[in-house]
Amino acid sequence: MKDLFIIPECYIDTNLVETLIITDGCNHQKGCNTVVKTMQQKFANAFSVGIIDEDKRQVSYVKEFSEIARTPSLRLKKHGSKSHYLIMVSPAMDGFLLKCAEELGISMEEYGYTSCLKEFTSITKSVTSKNDSAFKKLFKALDNASEMIVLKEWLEYLKKNQYKCNVDELKKIAKAANIDKRVTYHMARHSYATLCISMGVPIETISQTLGHRSISTTQIYADITRTKINEDMINLAERIEGKYELN
């Protein structure tokens, strides 16, 4: 049975939702305005959940909703008098996915994508099927990210309880994730790689100790700081000082 009361705004959102929760299908719509219009017209007096990006100009109906819970990238809102809920992704789903991948130390390149937001956005916009198998594989790899867990638990709770939803329970889901304090195994690996880079350990050595097949994967973990770059340039200058002359 399809969960037509769950209304995502694009193919990527629909694909993600149908991967996160057990469902035969959602009520896929194209664009935020269409999602809201569907909620207003086809679910006027019925339960519904819209999933939209927050980076777009919102239609007036959204102003009738009040925020009940949030994480850094997700906002959950409820209509003032109806059993209508909105999950708003900030600033948009493409950036949200990259953020989840970064938290877990997952290389987008290993899944055939890019970690460049502009290029990744172009890819997500070109998807024309909610059944894209490559994205489903990526979503399954991201399901342990802090905010992905919140999104999944919100959807599961809303689906199960519908008209009986308890706002306090929805707040607890976001709070229980403890986003700011939650440390995962992959986050620890990221910290280890960054520390090694800052201490001058060759990236080839770090790549081997982390078990990476490609150094490009290690470079995603290790955010080289301005201080490290400055130190490298000073060391280089000291090494070549007096050895070369300009004619």
Side-chain angles (χ1 to χ4, degrees):
M1 183 176 179
K2 292 187 176 182
D3 296 318
L4 297 179
F5 51 82
I6 299 178
I7 315 170
E9 77 159 282
C10 64
Y11 284 118
I12 290 297
D13 298 51
T14 302
N15 195 337
L16 176 60
V17 171
E18 293 181 359
T19 302
L20 289 177
I21 63 175
I22 300 175
T23 176
D24 292 330
C26 298
N27 193 349
H28 167 76
Q29 298 296 325
K30 186 176 181 180
C32 170
N33 290 350
T34 310
V35 169
V36 173
K37 185 177 181 180
T38 301
M39 295 175 72
Q40 284 182 286
Q41 296 182 355
K42 296 185 178 181
F43 294 84
N45 299 306
F47 171 82
S48 64
V49 181
I51 302 169
I52 61 176
D53 290 341
E54 196 175 12
D55 65 338
K56 300 179 178 65
R57 182 179 297 177
Q58 305 298 335
V59 295
S60 58
Y61 187 59
V62 177
K63 296 179 181 179
E64 297 179 26
F65 288 71
S66 297
E67 182 178 301
I68 58 176
R70 73 181 304 163
T71 68
S73 302
L74 302 171
R75 296 175 66 187
L76 177 60
K77 294 187 173 185
K78 184 184 182 303
H79 190 272
S81 59
K82 300 179 180 180
S83 293
H84 285 185
Y85 294 82
L86 280 175
I87 296 177
M88 304 176 74
V89 184
S90 175
M93 185 58 75
D94 42 16
F96 175 70
L97 294 174
L98 290 180
K99 181 179 179 181
C100 290
E102 182 180 8
E103 177 193 339
L104 297 179
I106 290 176
S107 169
M108 296 293 287
E109 285 73 12
E110 290 187 1
Y111 289 85
Y113 300 113
T114 173
S115 56
C116 172
L117 177 58
K118 185 176 181 180
E119 294 176 9
F120 185 60
T121 298
S122 179
I123 294 172
T124 61
K125 298 301 181 185
S126 67
V127 175
T128 57
S129 172
K130 66 176 185 177
N131 297 313
D132 188 291
S133 59
F135 269 108
K136 285 188 181 296
K137 184 178 179 181
L138 173 65
F139 297 155
K140 289 177 181 178
L142 298 177
D143 68 358
N144 196 42
S146 302
E147 292 183 283
M148 195 67 79
I149 292 173
V150 173
L151 177 59
K152 180 179 180 179
E153 292 188 0
W154 274 350
L155 288 169
E156 289 178 338
Y157 180 86
L158 290 166
K159 175 184 175 181
K160 180 180 179 180
N161 294 279
Q162 298 191 19
Y163 298 97
K164 300 178 181 179
C165 288
N166 185 319
V167 170
D168 290 334
E169 291 299 319
L170 291 165
K171 290 180 179 179
K172 287 180 182 178
I173 290 173
K175 188 175 181 180
N178 210 9
I179 302 293
D180 295 331
K181 297 180 181 179
R182 188 169 181 268
V183 178
T184 67
Y185 167 72
H186 291 285
M187 290 169 69
R189 284 167 63 87
H190 189 291
S191 298
Y192 163 76
T194 304
L195 176 62
C196 287
I197 284 286
S198 66
M199 297 302 291
V201 178
I203 197 166
E204 293 83 2
T205 300
I206 301 170
S207 183
Q208 288 295 315
T209 60
L210 290 174
H212 290 164
R213 296 178 182 177
S214 171
I215 286 181
S216 62
T217 302
T218 313
Q219 291 170 333
I220 294 174
Y221 278 92
D223 297 323
I224 302 177
T225 64
R226 290 180 182 272
T227 301
K228 174 59 180 171
I229 294 173
N230 185 52
E231 290 175 351
D232 287 344
M233 292 301 99
I234 292 174
N235 289 336
L236 176 62
E238 291 176 348
R239 289 179 182 179
I240 66 175
E241 185 178 6
K243 293 184 178 181
Y244 304 95
E245 294 182 1
L246 295 176
N247 295 326

